[in-house]
Structures are given as C-alpha cells and as structure tokens.
C-alpha cells in the first residue's frame, strides 16, 4: 500500500512535524526527506534478499543524489550504482570508497572511462566498442558486462531498458563471444549485469531475466571464466496510488535466489534499487498560489511545476496529492493541480477530488523521492528548490534553494554587447 501520513487536528505530519510548519520555515516548493523511512526501505530490501544468499545493495543514485541522503545509505552499508562520472565523484565525496561503487554508463566517452578507471571504480561495460576502448585505456581493469536480456518492464515506455533491440547492453547473441574476448584482453572479469527497466510491479519479468542471466553464466563458465556475482539491476516498483498493492519482496527474493542457487555456483547477488529506497521517503510541499474555475475545469495553481517535479508531465505518472492543512477534510470538487510554468503540459495531477483549496494552503505531493529533485530544472528561470531532512521531530536543511543570481553565475556577455 501507498505510504500514509500521521494526521493531528486535521494537519498532515511528517516525522512528527506539521507539514505547514516545514513549509513556513524553509519556503516552498520544498522536498522533505524522512530519514527513518530511507533506512527502513534500505533494510527491507537488503533483509529480504540476504536472508537467502550473500546480497549487496547498490543504490542507483540517479534517483536522488543529495549528499545527506547518500551519507545515510553509506552508514547503512549500501553500495552504489553510478551512471556518470558526476555520480561517481558525488558518491566519493559522500564517503563511499571506490570498491563500493559500480559504474554503468551508456554512450561512454574515452575521457569518462579514463577518469572512472583512475578512481578505481569497477566498470560495467555496455558495448563491445566500450570494451575495446577500455582495454587501451585501463588494461586489466575490474569489469562486468551489461547484457540486453530481451526482457523489459517498467511504468512507462520511456523507462523500459531490457527489451531486445534496446540501446543498453550487449546483444544476447554476442554475450559469450564478448566474454571470451574480454578474457583474451586480460580484463579482471567479475560478473554479469542486466536491468529490465524501472517501476515494474510484477515478479515474472525479473524471473525471465534471471533465467537468461543464469544460462549465460553457465555458458561463460565453460570458457573457464568464473563469475563472482550476478547483478539483477533495479526496477522494483512502489505503489503510487492509495489502494495499489506493493510488490511481494519476499516472493521476489526467494524465487530469484532459488534459481541462482539451484542452477549456478554464483555466491553473490547484487541489486540496484533506486526508486524503492527513496521514493516514498520524500514528500514535495508546494503552496497554493491561485484557484481558478475555467468553466470547463477547476484548477489549483501551485508553486511547483514540471521544473520541480517532471514525472507527471514527462511520463504521465500519477502522484497522490493532499492539502496538508485540510488533511482528511471532506472533498468538494475535482481539480487539476497545475504549476507556474508557461506550458499547458505543466501539471502535477489531473482530476483529483480535494477539500476546497484556497491560496496559502500547503499541498503535499506524495512519493516524490525518486526522480524528483534529481530531474528538476531551471526552466522558466526558476531556481531549484530546497531540500530538508526530517527525523524525530527535527528538520534540517540539506540543500539551500537556489537564487536567481545562481542562474547567471556561469554565463558570459561578450564585451562588444555591453
Ligand atoms: C536507473 C537504474 C537503476 C534503478 O532503477 P529503479 O527503478 O530506480 O530501481 C538500476 N540500475 C541501472 C543500471 C539503472 O540505469
């Protein structure tokens, strides 16, 4: 089920703090991150799998790269799935040692390969060309390979990555020959990886992918190459709607680890959940600026738009919304919740029943922790918003809101235009 919040006297509380107080103290829009929930999510997924076999969680940090959030996961013992040199360096800055990070890039430049290799981070190779180039740049480097399993799953076509013909990974029919070539090139070959997509809610695609990986592991072993791990990627979905079921993690874990243990000698399973760990730990608070009846539709205009949270506009994603200072009050009408961006596609929610909204109300957008802040932008010259960490009745700033001056910082006007 979707995460629920505590209500005190008709006001939503997050980690023991009334949401409107957080909004008043830090301004809006603001992403509010609940530390206890991150730790709980991490432990849920880690415990579900490590009960059955040696498991390493590599948090897919593109979901949310705030340094404080990374610190929490570093303390929990997590590893990292990084997709760029920027993410690698951000995680090193947060205190992860290079051996806990795996780099999985796509369309990777020689420059980036060199930088990642020099930092001592394992590279999960995405193509034959990348392998040949890395052999020149960093001979003998520790590597694994991302394969295209021919199985895809996800909440939107835009985030399915594992289907046949995908831009990601080594095509199935080239996998075994690629491992043979990597062995000849002298790489330190550690494992095999696949990622089917993001936000899937059923166990089956994961099992189909695992069967593909297992068959490959056994073919690769016949070449005399012993793999240390299978990396099943991320993609564990979470419920975004009130009555939506969550994925049965125990079923997923027991089925997958059973397959691995019965059919291979692999000792270690790696998982790369991003969304699962941070999604429901973060709430976006946004203030109602304006209420409008167009004659056709009623609109609630808030101060967060697709510059702040792009998922509804980009993926058609559903985010549950509530008015924090009228929490649990009777609903009066249906509204579209829209932002301040000058595009008709700028919305956060369509057709929601809400208590009568008024300017100054503070709305909560649920499940905003994954691909929320990390995909936000400066479009319409709106500075990026603040992030706050809440724990046990205390709120701390973990990112200052940008200012308009920040938007000008890296621009130059040629003298002749002055
Ligand atoms: C994005 C990504 C993930 C995480 O996906 P989630 O749906 O957030 O769990 C994991 N692995 C790779 C390689 C990715 O690109």
């Amino acid at each position: 089920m979707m995460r629920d919040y505590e209500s005190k006297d008709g006001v939503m509380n997050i980690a023991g703090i009334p949401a409107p107080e957080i909004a008043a103290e830090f301004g809006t829009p603001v992403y509010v991150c609940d530390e206890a929930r991150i730790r709980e999510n991490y432990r849920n997924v880690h415990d579900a799998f490590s009960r059955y076999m040696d498991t390493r969680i590599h948090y897919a940090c593109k979901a949310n790269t705030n340094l404080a959030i990374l610190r929490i996961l570093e303390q929990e013992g997590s590893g990292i799935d990084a997709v760029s040199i920027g993410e690698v360096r951000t995680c090193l800055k947060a205190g992860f040692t290079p051996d806990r990070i795996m780099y999985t890039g796509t369309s990777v430049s020689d420059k980036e390969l060199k930088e990642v290799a020099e930092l001592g981070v394992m590279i999960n190779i995405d193509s034959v060309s990348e392998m040949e180039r890395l052999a020149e740049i960093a001979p003998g480097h520790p590597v694994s390979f991302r394969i295209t399993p021919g199985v895809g799953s996800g909440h939107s076509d835009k985030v399915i990555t594992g289907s046949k013909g995908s831009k990601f990974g080594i095509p199935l029919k080239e996998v075994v020959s690629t491992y043979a070539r990597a062995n000849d090139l002298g790489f330190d070959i550690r494992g095999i990886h696949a990622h089917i997509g993001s936000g899937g809610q059923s166990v089956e695609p994961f099992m189909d992918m695992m069967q593909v990986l297992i068959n490959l592991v056994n073919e690769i072993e016949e070449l005399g190459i012993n793999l240390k791990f299978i990396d099943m990627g991320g993609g564990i979905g979470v419920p975004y709607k009130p009555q939506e079921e969550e994925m049965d993690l125990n079923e997923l874990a027991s089925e997958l680890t059973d397959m691995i243990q019965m059919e291979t000698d692999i000792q270690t399973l790696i998982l790369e959940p991003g969304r699962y760990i941070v999604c429901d730990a973060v709430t976006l608070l946004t203030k109602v600026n304006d209420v409008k009846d167009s004659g056709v539709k009623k609109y609630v205009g808030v101060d967060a738009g697709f510059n702040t949270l792009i998922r509804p506009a980009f993926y058609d994603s559903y985010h549950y919304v509530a008015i924090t200072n009228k929490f649990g009050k009777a609903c009066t009408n249906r509204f579209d919740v829209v932002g301040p961006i000058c595009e008709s596609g700028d919305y956060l929610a369509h057709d929601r029943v809400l208590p009568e909204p008024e300017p100054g109300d503070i709305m909560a957008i649920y499940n905003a922790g994954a691909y929320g802040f990390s995909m936000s932008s400066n479009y319409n010259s709106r500075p990026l918003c603040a992030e706050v960490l809440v724990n046990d009745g205390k709120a701390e700033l973990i990112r200052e809101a940008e200012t308009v001056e920040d938007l000008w910082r890296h621009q130059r006007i040629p003298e002749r235009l002055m």
Side-chain angles (χ1 to χ4, degrees):
M1 296 267 275
M2 189 183 77
R3 173 181 176 180
D4 219 347
Y5 292 83
E6 198 189 349
S7 176
K8 276 194 202 135
D9 307 320
V11 175
M12 173 198 265
N13 277 237
I14 310 175
I17 313 173
E21 279 181 21
I22 302 171
E25 182 176 353
F26 298 96
T28 55
V30 61
Y31 279 99
V32 182
C33 175
D34 183 337
E35 176 173 343
R37 189 74 181 195
I38 292 188
R39 293 186 188 275
E40 189 184 322
N41 289 343
Y42 176 85
R43 289 172 199 178
N44 271 347
V45 65
H46 180 262
D47 295 353
F49 283 83
S50 60
R51 187 177 317 143
Y52 298 107
M53 73 183 280
D54 178 47
T55 301
R56 278 160 45 196
I57 303 293
H58 282 191
Y59 167 59
C61 72
K62 72 179 186 290
N64 194 323
T65 43
N66 183 283
L67 290 167
I69 292 173
L70 294 173
R71 280 301 309 143
I72 293 166
L73 289 164
E74 195 282 330
Q75 288 183 342
E76 288 293 323
S78 184
I80 289 291
D81 165 55
V83 297
S84 71
I85 181 70
E87 286 188 355
V88 168
R89 292 187 53 199
T90 298
C91 292
L92 291 170
K93 164 105 180 145
F96 288 88
T97 49
D99 59 302
R100 285 166 72 183
I101 305 174
M102 181 147 99
Y103 170 85
T104 299
T106 187
S107 181
V108 184
S109 69
D110 288 353
K111 178 167 178 277
E112 189 147 317
L113 283 176
K114 185 161 187 287
E115 286 174 9
V116 172
E118 279 171 0
L119 291 169
V121 167
M122 179 164 60
I123 295 178
N124 190 27
I125 296 174
D126 185 64
S127 73
V128 174
S129 147
E130 184 181 330
M131 169 179 70
E132 297 290 346
R133 290 182 288 124
L134 184 64
E136 301 279 317
I137 293 164
H141 197 71
V143 296
S144 64
F145 288 88
R146 176 177 194 164
I147 63 117
T148 319
V151 180
S153 169
H155 64 79
S156 151
D157 285 348
K158 292 195 177 88
V159 299
I160 294 176
T161 55
S163 314
K164 185 166 187 249
S166 162
K167 79 161 178 168
F168 299 99
I170 314 275
L172 267 190
K173 61 177 183 4
E174 288 174 32
V175 172
V176 175
S177 60
T178 303
Y179 272 84
R181 173 73 178 149
N183 205 28
D184 291 345
L185 287 169
F187 279 115
D188 172 6
I189 303 171
R190 301 277 178 90
I192 187 163
H193 167 277
H195 172 63
I196 53 181
S198 188
Q201 288 281 53
S202 59
V203 171
E204 223 170 275
F206 287 97
M207 293 184 61
D208 294 346
M209 168 190 67
M210 189 55 76
Q211 192 60 60
V212 171
L213 285 169
I214 284 170
N215 296 346
L216 289 169
V217 165
N218 291 326
E219 283 182 66
I220 291 161
E221 301 247 308
E222 281 171 26
L223 302 170
I225 303 168
N226 288 312
L227 302 181
K228 294 183 180 63
F229 66 79
I230 289 181
D231 184 330
M232 58 173 275
I236 301 171
V238 299
Y240 281 83
K241 292 183 177 168
Q243 301 307 323
E244 201 177 333
E245 296 273 332
E246 53 197 286
M247 186 138 140
D248 185 341
L249 273 191
N250 186 55
E251 184 192 344
L252 182 72
S254 77
E255 303 264 3
L256 293 177
T257 53
D258 246 19
M259 291 172 76
I260 296 170
Q261 287 167 332
M262 282 167 53
E263 299 180 51
T264 73
D265 300 324
I266 295 281
Q267 296 299 311
T268 301
L269 174 63
I270 299 180
L271 253 82
E272 303 168 341
R275 186 186 312 276
Y276 183 84
I277 290 177
V278 288
C279 182
D280 71 4
V282 181
T283 319
L284 172 61
L285 298 181
T286 178
K287 187 184 281 178
V288 175
N289 286 332
D290 204 68
V291 181
K292 180 184 291 189
D293 186 344
S294 71
V296 179
K297 254 184 188 174
K298 295 184 193 317
Y299 291 100
V300 189
V302 297
D303 62 5
F306 77 62
N307 57 315
T308 316
L309 179 70
I310 201 174
R311 299 190 70 256
F314 190 50
Y315 303 121
D316 264 329
S317 300
Y318 180 100
H319 283 263
Y320 189 79
V321 302
I323 301 180
T324 65
N325 50 304
K326 296 172 180 169
F327 204 48
K329 278 239 175 84
C331 295
T332 55
N333 260 308
R334 286 183 176 273
F335 299 89
D336 275 20
V337 181
V338 297
I341 296 295
C342 291
E343 298 214 16
S344 52
D346 180 32
Y347 80 100
L348 297 176
H350 278 318
D351 220 20
R352 301 298 171 78
V353 286
L354 292 169
E356 203 54 36
E358 294 162 287
D361 285 347
I362 301 297
M363 293 194 78
I365 317 296
Y366 288 38
N367 287 307
Y371 312 104
F373 187 92
S374 66
M375 291 181 81
S376 64
S377 78
N378 289 127
Y379 187 44
N380 278 203
S381 293
R382 296 204 174 270
L384 299 182
C385 73
E387 295 178 283
V388 167
L389 187 67
V390 290
N391 194 34
D392 236 351
K394 280 208 293 286
E396 295 162 290
L397 194 63
I398 56 173
R399 179 192 297 268
E400 282 177 37
E402 280 183 350
T403 62
V404 172
E405 286 76 12
D406 290 323
L407 306 182
W408 306 331
R409 179 155 299 154
H410 299 291
Q411 301 188 50
R412 297 285 178 276
I413 304 173
E415 196 55 44
R416 65 189 174 76
L417 298 178
M418 295 307 289

